[in-house]
Amino acid sequence: MKKFYSLILSALLIPMTISAQGWPANYGGVMLQGFYWDSYDDSSWTNLEKNAADLSRYFSLVWVPQSGKAQNSTSMGYDPLYYYNHNSSFGTEAELKSMIAAFKKNGTGVIADVVVNHRGNLSTWVDFPKETNPLDGKTYEMVSTDICKNDDGGETAKHTGGLSLSQNDDEGEDWGGMRDLDHKSENVQNCIKAYVKYLVDYLGYTGFRYDMVKGFNASHVRDYNQYAGVEYSVGECWDSNSTIEGWVDYTERNSAAFDFQFRYNVRDAVNNDNKWSALNSDNNMNHDANYRRYSVTFIENHDTEYRSASSEQDPIRRDTLAANAWLLSNPGTPCVFYKHWLACKKEIKQMIEARKLAGITNQSDYENLVTGYSTRMVRKVKGTNGDLIVAVGTSADKYSAPDGFKEILSGYHYRLFTNANTSTWQATLDRIEQEMKADQEQEETFDKPEAGYTFHAYYLAPTSWGNNVKAWVWDSNHANQNYTGGSWPGEKCYRIGKAADGRYIWQWCYYGSLTDVPTHIIFNNNGSPQTADMSFTNGGWYQFSSTKSEEGLGIEEHVVTTTLDNGAIYNLAGQKVDASYKGIIIRNGKKYLNK
């Protein structure tokens, strides 16, 4: 969520005695933000699980989108509605649990995005769902008196339908559009404590990322973390450095915080011509040994990235490799942005391995070696195995490291040197090369519908639809008999192949007991967008157009063709056929058109 706020900390928080610790000491792990804005395909639970083994070689923690069912049908999760229904825009609850378990099996913890500052409503301004917690079997429900008295600048009070709101004003900053929860309410506290415990003990999350923590008292983060028993917690306190450090203190150091000022140092260094000296800054948590442990550093996230021409946010426009080299060479716990990982996987893997080689942790000390150059910044960071020198800037290639240091990485505007033992370094680089080669050679896999369906249809989806194509199918002549579960947006289709133009081919199959041929079909991208209301043809082909739907497509125009070899051949029903079979066939896990 995008927010730019100022905060008078003394008005929000009450001093407390520092005791518990909310992030491990001397922690050497690296974190991944496993999503970007609208990353429904790349961040689907099934896709993340597919890549769990590779990601776990480099990341100890993966932060994923808020996984509960949201108010909107397609959502990034920042409009939370349900606490115990985790069928979201990123996949089903079963897929979520499977993904979390896969990461855990590979030694990586999954961080939940906890959005409890505000909550959506069912049908009025003040009603919330009544839900049963599968962990303890109890029923939980928030009521109108759990909403802050001054919610939405007093607007909510005009829409209560005669019900009362809380007697307490918001403890922090108001967020319009949804109901701000009164965390002083015992019922709110009980509901959220049960929820965060469920996230850990039922779904399997390892820790929490708290959204918009400036909206409620920091003491509640302490209480929720202690109740759930998590070791990893990081808050989104988007503000000045002194406010962020104050927030960490007022959680009694039961939580780390994102180091926003570290990010701004990097942004200023790379977005301005020859201003690399901006990295020589004391305006961040990372520079202070008293707070370095609680500094979760980053250079880009879903709220700062370039989204579109009309939604540029505050992106780093160049030198993302040099920015990541700086991020991954410094103390604190680095959080790599998913888009950077996808675009620069080889280089980021190498940088993480360099960090491990030197033994850099979240509490490592450092010394600035070169600070007076606008075109260059050089820092030496002390690790448990040796020192790591990072040189970044337009003149990084002009830097000469001290005796005893070996250059282990270099790229556009960055170089890394170490005096640690490098005897296995070449083997590490070779392994990464093999991993990248395997990525390139990995064949795309498709679904194979089970045999025995009664009706079916094909759909060529727009490339923007990702992996969440569903069908809504019915017979209007027979009391609106529904063939797709009776609940919009219907049932998920099978991705069975890829067209020559890059679009995926999807197949809807009906396995039920209805014998009447359906009359209508709508394909949709998990609800929206959707095709027009189209006449159903069994075995028919459909595609989406901005002006109309088109039926009866010639399959020869769209499917990649090939000549058969002697491998086993199956039709789309899973039946083994011979080389004389005409139509779409499956061979070695791939689909082809046999003419």
Side-chain angles (χ1 to χ4, degrees):
M1 305 173 64
K2 190 74 180 275
K3 351 177 173 44
F4 293 99
Y5 298 123
S6 61
L7 176 68
I8 300 175
L9 191 64
S10 59
L12 176 65
L13 304 168
I14 301 172
M16 304 168 195
T17 301
I18 296 174
S19 56
Q21 305 296 319
W23 203 268
N26 299 306
Y27 182 63
V30 178
M31 183 173 168
L32 173 72
Q33 179 178 358
F35 64 98
Y36 53 87
W37 200 257
D38 290 343
S39 62
Y40 303 112
D41 187 0
D42 284 337
S43 302
S44 68
W45 308 143
T46 54
N47 189 60
L48 288 173
E49 178 174 351
K50 181 179 69 175
N51 292 287
D54 186 44
L55 290 170
S56 295
R57 292 189 188 101
Y58 300 94
F59 299 102
S60 300
L61 299 169
V62 176
W63 159 32
V64 300
Q66 196 280 116
S67 57
K69 185 176 181 180
Q71 191 169 49
N72 295 307
S73 59
T74 302
S75 171
M76 288 299 297
Y78 295 110
D79 53 336
L81 180 58
Y82 292 94
Y83 286 171
Y84 301 109
N85 180 340
H86 283 258
N87 297 292
S88 71
S89 297
F90 296 91
T92 66
E93 181 175 306
E95 290 169 342
L96 171 68
K97 293 180 72 174
S98 179
M99 178 270 292
I100 293 173
F103 274 106
K104 189 170 290 187
K105 180 181 178 181
N106 283 281
T108 293
V110 179
I111 301 295
D113 205 322
V114 178
V115 186
V116 292
N117 171 72
H118 51 267
R119 193 176 184 185
N121 305 106
L122 289 169
S123 58
T124 73
W125 279 57
V126 296
D127 62 338
F128 299 99
K130 180 184 292 186
E131 298 182 273
T132 299
N133 181 350
L135 185 64
D136 60 18
K138 296 179 181 179
T139 299
Y140 295 87
E141 182 181 17
M142 291 183 182
V143 294
S144 64
T145 52
D146 292 325
I147 301 170
C148 296
K149 180 181 178 181
N150 60 341
D151 182 52
D152 275 18
E155 190 65 23
T156 302
K158 303 174 185 177
H159 300 275
T160 65
L163 298 174
S164 298
L165 300 180
S166 171
Q167 293 301 303
N168 300 316
D169 284 339
D170 201 320
E171 292 179 303
E173 294 178 348
D174 189 18
W175 188 70
M178 304 195 86
R179 304 293 76 77
D180 280 32
L181 302 177
D182 175 20
H183 288 254
K184 290 182 179 178
S185 162
E186 184 177 356
N187 186 50
V188 168
Q189 293 177 12
N190 289 338
C191 287
I192 295 176
K193 284 180 178 178
Y195 166 56
V196 296
K197 188 73 170 172
Y198 156 88
L199 291 175
V200 175
D201 291 351
Y202 185 81
L203 294 181
Y205 282 109
T206 295
F208 305 143
R209 176 265 183 186
Y210 285 94
D211 179 68
M212 196 180 170
V213 297
K214 290 165 54 179
F216 53 99
N217 196 296
S219 65
H220 303 302
V221 170
R222 172 203 64 197
D223 294 343
Y224 301 148
N225 285 345
Q226 290 183 351
Y227 190 83
V230 292
E231 188 177 13
Y232 301 93
S233 169
V234 55
E236 184 207 29
C237 186
W238 195 333
D239 213 296
S240 68
N241 193 59
S242 61
T243 297
I244 297 171
E245 291 179 349
W247 183 83
V248 170
D249 285 343
Y250 281 85
T251 69
E252 297 188 10
R253 301 204 176 186
N254 271 264
S255 183
F258 284 110
D259 198 336
F260 278 89
Q261 299 309 316
F262 179 95
R263 189 265 170 183
Y264 290 136
N265 297 157
V266 177
R267 178 206 61 184
D268 292 344
V270 302
N271 278 0
N272 297 286
D273 290 333
N274 291 332
K275 198 179 177 181
W276 293 90
S277 56
L279 296 175
N280 181 24
S281 175
D282 289 344
N283 184 27
N284 53 63
M285 292 177 69
N286 197 255
H287 89 280
D288 190 337
N290 294 314
Y291 290 96
R292 196 172 291 156
R293 169 177 174 177
Y294 305 100
S295 165
V296 177
T297 54
F298 70 101
I299 56 174
E300 203 82 288
N301 69 18
H302 61 295
D303 281 328
T304 63
E305 63 169 309
Y306 179 91
R307 297 181 189 170
S308 67
S310 60
S311 181
E312 289 199 355
Q313 308 303 308
D314 182 30
I316 289 176
R317 299 184 178 279
R318 58 190 179 191
D319 280 311
T320 53
L321 280 177
N324 275 284
W326 186 257
L327 171 75
L328 290 164
S329 299
N330 269 280
T333 299
C335 184
V336 173
F337 187 42
Y338 200 27
K339 276 189 176 179
H340 292 171
W341 167 258
L342 295 175
C344 311
K345 192 179 295 185
K346 175 182 174 180
E347 292 84 355
I348 291 176
K349 284 184 175 185
Q350 292 173 338
M351 293 171 188
I352 292 174
E353 289 294 354
R355 180 184 183 87
K356 292 179 182 177
L357 179 68
I360 307 301
T361 76
N362 60 344
Q363 292 185 275
S364 290
D365 290 327
Y366 66 79
E367 174 189 357
N368 291 329
L369 300 182
V370 176
T371 60
Y373 287 83
S374 61
T375 60
R376 183 163 75 238
M377 177 67 186
V378 183
R379 176 171 290 176
K380 181 173 70 174
V381 185
K382 185 176 181 59
T384 58
N385 304 323
D387 298 333
L388 184 68
I389 293 178
V390 52
V392 293
T394 52
S395 66
D397 59 331
K398 302 295 193 296
Y399 174 72
S400 297
D403 290 341
F405 281 83
K406 178 181 179 180
E407 181 176 276
I408 56 173
L409 285 180
S410 64
Y412 187 70
H413 292 171
Y414 74 91
R415 296 170 74 194
L416 298 183
F417 308 82
T418 189
N419 59 5
N421 184 348
T422 59
S423 60
T424 61
W425 181 244
Q426 187 58 50
T428 298
L429 295 180
D430 291 343
R431 189 200 72 223
I432 293 173
E433 287 291 346
Q434 289 301 313
E435 291 171 3
M436 299 307 300
K437 184 178 179 181
D439 279 351
Q440 294 169 1
E441 294 177 349
Q442 185 177 13
E443 294 184 353
E444 191 164 28
T445 58
F446 297 101
D447 300 324
K448 185 174 79 171
E450 294 181 10
Y453 50 79
T454 309
F455 307 111
H456 68 115
Y458 302 101
Y459 179 61
L460 281 159
T463 55
S464 61
W465 279 27
N467 285 327
N468 220 339
V469 175
K470 293 186 177 180
W472 176 256
V473 187
W474 73 101
D475 180 3
S476 59
N477 297 326
H478 293 81
N480 289 316
Q481 293 184 69
N482 192 279
Y483 295 75
T484 47
S487 177
W488 178 263
E491 294 179 344
K492 191 167 183 177
C493 300
Y494 297 96
R495 192 176 74 167
I496 64 168
K498 193 172 188 178
D501 61 8
R503 288 182 292 172
Y504 286 111
I505 303 168
W506 297 81
Q507 183 181 10
W508 169 74
C509 301
Y510 177 69
Y511 295 93
S513 59
L514 296 175
T515 57
D516 297 314
V517 178
T519 57
H520 293 86
I521 188 168
I522 294 173
F523 291 96
N524 63 84
N525 187 199
N526 200 34
S528 178
Q530 65 182 66
T531 65
D533 177 345
M534 303 181 291
S535 298
F536 179 84
T537 300
N538 191 28
W541 284 79
Y542 302 87
Q543 71 175 358
F544 184 85
S545 170
S546 59
T547 57
K548 65 177 182 177
S549 62
E550 300 176 11
E551 302 176 25
L553 300 172
I555 186 173
E556 292 83 358
E557 301 174 16
H558 301 285
V559 181
V560 179
T561 61
T562 187
T563 301
L564 294 178
D565 61 17
N566 294 325
I569 305 167
Y570 300 87
N571 63 20
L572 290 180
Q575 301 164 327
K576 193 169 184 179
V577 295
D578 59 30
S580 64
Y581 182 86
K582 305 301 181 183
I584 296 180
I585 57 92
I586 303 168
R587 189 182 73 250
N588 297 327
K590 286 189 172 183
K591 291 180 174 61
Y592 304 93
L593 175 66
N594 186 34
K595 298 182 177 181

